[in-house]
Amino acid sequence: MKRPALLAIFSMTPRGGQAFGPRKTGLSSAACTLLLGLTLATACVADTPPSPSPPAFDLVVSTEDKSIRLWLEQHLALQRYASLNDLDDTELSRLLLDADVQVRDLLATLGFFNPQIAWTQTPAEGATAARRVHLSVVTGPVARIAQVQWQWQGDIAQNEQALTQKQEIVQGWTLPEGEPFTQADWTRAKTQALRQLLAQRYPWGRMVDSQALVDATSNQVQLSLSFDSGPSVLLGPTNISGTAHYGSEQVQRLARLPLGTLYSQSALLEAQQRLVTSGFYDSVFVSLDSEGPAQAAPVKIELKEAMRQKWVLGVGVRSDSGARLTAEHTHHQVPGLGWRSVSKLAWDKQLQSAGLDLLAPPDSSLWRWNTSLKLEQEKLTGFLVNSQRWRAGRTQLGERIDRSYYAQYDAAEINLDGLGGQQESISGNYAWTWRNFDSLPFPNQGLGWGVELGAGFTLGNQKIPYVRWLSKGLFLQPLGDKAGRLSLRAELGGVVSKNSNELPSTQLFLAGGDHSVRGYAPGSIGIEQANGLVLAGRYLATGSLEWQRPITVNHQRSEWESAVFIDAGTVTNATQQLKARVGMGVGARWRSPVGPVRIDLAYGQSVHKLRLHMNVGFTF
């Protein structure tokens, strides 16, 4: 490498001062310097800064596939030397030899083992221009899987009861014969196979060996894998630490991990989830003791109990009603009762509410007694509704299925001249919800379905019987890593009664808003009156189709997704008068630390207006 000649410069420094290394002097006209040599000369140095030196080279990569070009540009180490301005031809040639090896290695990770690679250099054109280094890549055919060989050791090799699990691992293998080979897919497939082995019966299993033998001539890859399952494991005694106020018996009931149960990773995760969602514990960790015997492996439950009392104050913004204030108080053991109480207050310009929930500890079947009281004042389209609801019954919350049955009293009063006074009703109800999503609170695939059924009669002068039902569903279908997923949501409801005018409005239906038909205000879709008011109706039907697609940054999937959607819904008093209101728009989804955040801009076709919708959390 050529180096510039070293010029020693002595700068004059005031007495007592120090000069360390080069120094800028900013002279307005000239500066006198003493040159090391036989001749003393005076030179005038101008203030004009020197022109910048050109970079060492510009790298241009050309391939038939844009994604491969971006992959090479992102990972080539050669790029680090492009900004040097003192790189000579000899060093650049050496760097290109190293880069050629790295290009072949990078292409091999993508399954291309016979690429045609050509490097060319173009001299710089002018003093301020840089040399051009051009890399041309023809990848050739991708290598494909020719054969996958499996070897099994341990209990799984001869245990007939594990035959199904072994078949599921083989059938779920994501690199079958004929598929293209890449290093990332190979690593991902091995990880998934091992995860399936460890998920059930064999928590101490391991991968003994794995090989990918590449025949570059034929572009074929032979895969071989060897797994040792170890022994089949049964759950033993539960060792609980961290209990102080709520007792070990409650932990045992919520965990539901009986002795002698076949080990299942999902069973331990579900036990942990039950303990966390109970609200009695701030943190929970459920694990298997690897040093215990296989026929009775101890289960360790380490937890930290929540404080007996907790206050939560919140300030937020709702897209439909502006600023919102909330306050919540939780007492995990009400003195003299032993139940948990949750008191809530909420206020914004459209909705003010106060509520109290009391929940008993779970019994051996996880059923819990509960009672609640809720008071609300809500501003709808042109009028106020004051309502109250009291409920008492039992509930059982599970990982996939929630059940509850309860008696309920409803009362609602519409504050508007010309519309009746307070309507009241009493009913018996049953609710059932089933969830089958791959992960919460950020599901990518799955199905959920819920049903509510109630029967009762109105109070007051007339005792009119009625039946109320409501069904809702959510279906998520993935389309691939880059294509995202489709979300299909639907809700149907109805009230059967000979005179619905005597029913409280809270037992009837309205639509519109964040979780209903976007593009319309909450409660704005209902039975329209001649004076412009919108009242609740007897029948409800809403639906939504949404395409959610990941947003990538630097070719990596980010925490954001885009969404395109269309919603439709209607409320009517007669099924033959169904007339859908349609809303459509675009939105963004954020996987925030507190749960999914949805931001949508929707256009209401019937009202010809744009409306912003924002909400947090996944609920079904």
Side-chain angles (χ1 to χ4, degrees):
M1 180 188 299
K2 294 182 179 180
R3 299 289 183 184
L6 180 64
L7 179 65
I9 300 177
F10 296 86
S11 64
M12 304 300 294
T13 305
R15 181 174 297 177
Q18 297 180 1
F20 296 95
R23 215 165 49 115
K24 293 184 178 179
T25 56
L27 301 177
S28 60
S29 59
C32 292
T33 59
L34 180 63
L35 302 180
L36 184 63
L38 299 176
T39 305
L40 182 65
T42 302
C44 294
V45 181
D47 290 331
T48 304
S51 58
S53 302
F57 59 87
D58 290 330
L59 177 64
V60 178
V61 180
S62 61
T63 67
E64 65 271 25
D65 190 324
K66 179 182 178 181
S67 62
I68 294 178
R69 175 176 63 80
L70 296 174
W71 167 263
L72 293 175
E73 290 177 345
Q74 182 179 1
H75 293 91
L76 265 177
L78 182 64
Q79 295 276 34
R80 298 200 303 262
Y81 302 95
S83 60
L84 298 180
N85 53 26
D86 59 349
L87 192 67
D88 60 22
D89 293 338
T90 302
E91 285 200 332
L92 178 58
S93 298
R94 182 182 60 80
L95 290 175
L96 292 182
L97 290 176
D98 294 338
D100 190 87
V101 175
Q102 188 189 13
V103 169
R104 296 180 187 277
D105 291 340
L106 289 172
L107 292 174
T109 65
L110 301 178
F112 301 104
F113 296 96
N114 290 302
Q116 297 178 16
I117 300 174
W119 296 88
T120 57
Q121 298 184 46
T122 303
E125 299 179 359
T128 60
R131 290 168 290 184
R132 172 167 293 186
V133 174
H134 182 261
L135 168 62
S136 175
V137 175
V138 178
T139 60
V142 66
R144 295 186 178 272
I145 309 301
Q147 187 180 20
V148 183
Q149 296 179 338
W150 299 84
Q151 294 181 354
W152 303 95
Q153 303 175 27
D155 181 81
I156 197 173
Q158 66 272 353
N159 190 339
E160 294 184 358
Q161 296 179 351
L163 180 61
T164 301
Q165 182 178 358
K166 184 163 60 175
Q167 290 175 343
E168 289 176 350
I169 296 175
V170 175
Q171 293 172 359
W173 179 249
T174 57
L175 273 181
E177 296 180 6
E179 285 294 310
F181 173 86
T182 69
Q183 184 63 44
D185 290 340
W186 170 232
T187 302
R188 191 180 302 114
K190 291 188 294 182
T191 301
Q192 178 178 324
L194 181 60
R195 186 182 296 118
Q196 288 181 272
L197 176 66
L198 302 179
Q200 187 176 356
R201 196 187 298 267
Y202 303 113
W204 303 328
R206 63 190 180 94
M207 180 181 294
V208 179
D209 187 36
S210 65
Q211 291 185 353
L213 302 178
V214 180
D215 184 350
T217 304
S218 61
N219 287 301
Q220 291 186 338
V221 183
Q222 304 273 346
L223 303 180
S224 64
L225 303 106
S226 177
F227 291 94
D228 184 356
S229 69
S232 179
V233 175
L234 302 179
L235 299 184
T238 303
N239 300 326
I240 302 171
S241 61
T243 56
H245 301 101
Y246 308 127
S248 298
E249 182 179 358
Q250 177 171 285
V251 178
Q252 295 277 14
R253 287 180 174 179
L254 289 170
R256 301 186 70 182
L257 297 172
L259 287 169
T261 303
L262 189 66
Y263 168 82
S264 170
Q265 190 178 65
S266 62
L268 267 61
L269 292 174
E270 289 169 0
Q272 182 171 293
Q273 184 67 17
R274 278 192 295 269
L275 290 164
V276 170
T277 56
S278 69
F280 290 99
Y281 311 99
D282 284 338
S283 63
V284 180
F285 183 69
V286 180
S287 62
L288 196 70
D289 189 347
S290 60
E291 297 183 358
Q295 296 304 308
V299 177
K300 296 190 296 184
I301 300 181
E302 304 168 82
L303 47 83
K304 178 183 178 182
E305 294 183 342
M307 298 176 61
R308 285 198 179 187
Q309 297 191 62
K310 179 176 66 175
W311 278 97
V312 177
L313 303 177
V315 178
V317 178
R318 294 181 62 187
S319 55
D320 293 306
S321 54
R324 181 175 178 82
L325 303 176
T326 60
E328 180 176 316
H329 174 260
T330 301
H331 197 305
H332 286 293
Q333 276 190 329
V334 177
L337 183 61
W339 291 23
R340 182 175 67 189
S341 71
V342 179
S343 305
K344 298 179 181 179
L345 294 173
W347 179 92
D348 60 43
K349 68 178 183 180
Q350 286 188 326
L351 178 65
Q352 301 85 46
S353 65
L356 173 64
D357 294 291
L358 292 171
L359 186 64
D363 61 17
S364 58
S365 300
L366 295 184
W367 281 97
R368 310 170 78 168
W369 289 101
N370 71 298
T371 184
S372 64
L373 173 65
K374 188 173 186 179
L375 306 175
E376 280 189 351
Q377 177 175 276
E378 184 175 11
K379 183 180 180 181
L380 295 175
T381 309
F383 58 92
L384 289 175
V385 176
N386 292 314
S387 63
Q388 55 181 294
R389 185 196 69 197
W390 177 81
R391 179 182 292 181
R394 300 185 77 198
T395 185
Q396 183 191 58
L397 304 180
E399 290 74 32
R400 296 188 181 275
I401 298 178
D402 297 341
R403 303 179 181 90
S404 60
Y405 59 87
Y406 51 90
Q408 182 168 299
Y409 165 79
D410 287 274
E413 181 179 5
I414 298 177
N415 294 328
L416 185 68
D417 294 340
L419 294 177
Q422 178 171 282
Q423 285 83 32
E424 301 172 281
S425 69
I426 189 169
S427 61
N429 300 268
Y430 179 79
W432 179 87
T433 300
W434 173 73
R435 296 176 298 272
N436 186 25
F437 298 104
D438 56 351
S439 64
L440 293 176
F442 303 103
N444 182 62
Q445 180 178 3
L447 176 65
W449 182 40
V451 176
E452 297 176 18
L453 181 63
F457 54 88
T458 61
L459 302 178
N461 296 329
Q462 300 185 61
K463 303 295 190 293
I464 301 175
Y466 71 96
V467 174
R468 183 181 188 273
W469 61 273
L470 178 65
S471 178
K472 60 181 180 179
L474 174 64
F475 175 65
L476 299 176
Q477 176 60 48
L479 303 176
D481 291 340
K482 296 182 179 180
R485 75 189 68 83
L486 287 178
S487 172
L488 179 62
R489 172 175 50 85
E491 189 174 23
L492 296 172
V495 172
V496 180
S497 174
K498 67 178 183 180
N499 185 3
S500 60
N501 292 331
E502 298 297 323
L503 278 170
S505 60
T506 52
Q507 286 289 85
L508 300 172
F509 302 103
L510 288 168
D514 299 343
H515 298 284
S516 181
V517 183
R518 286 163 288 187
Y520 300 84
S524 63
I525 300 177
I527 309 301
E528 295 187 5
Q529 308 297 303
N531 56 3
L533 299 180
V534 177
L535 302 181
R538 297 173 61 174
Y539 300 103
L540 166 73
T542 66
S544 174
L545 178 62
E546 182 172 304
W547 180 26
Q548 302 163 355
R549 190 168 181 230
I551 297 175
T552 58
V553 179
N554 294 328
H555 316 296
Q556 299 293 327
R557 184 167 180 164
S558 71
E559 298 298 317
W560 288 86
E561 292 182 335
S562 62
V564 180
F565 60 86
I566 180 170
D567 298 345
T570 185
V571 173
T572 182
N573 281 331
T575 56
Q576 64 272 20
Q577 297 178 354
L578 294 174
K579 184 178 179 181
R581 301 290 183 90
V582 177
M584 61 191 71
V586 297
R589 308 288 178 264
W590 177 38
R591 296 168 64 97
S592 78
V594 297
V597 175
R598 300 197 319 170
I599 306 172
D600 294 317
L601 182 64
Y603 175 76
Q605 191 179 50
S606 298
V607 294
H608 305 292
K609 291 182 179 179
L610 287 171
R611 194 173 192 88
L612 182 66
H613 299 269
M614 299 175 61
N615 59 82
V616 180
F618 173 81
T619 57
F620 184 82

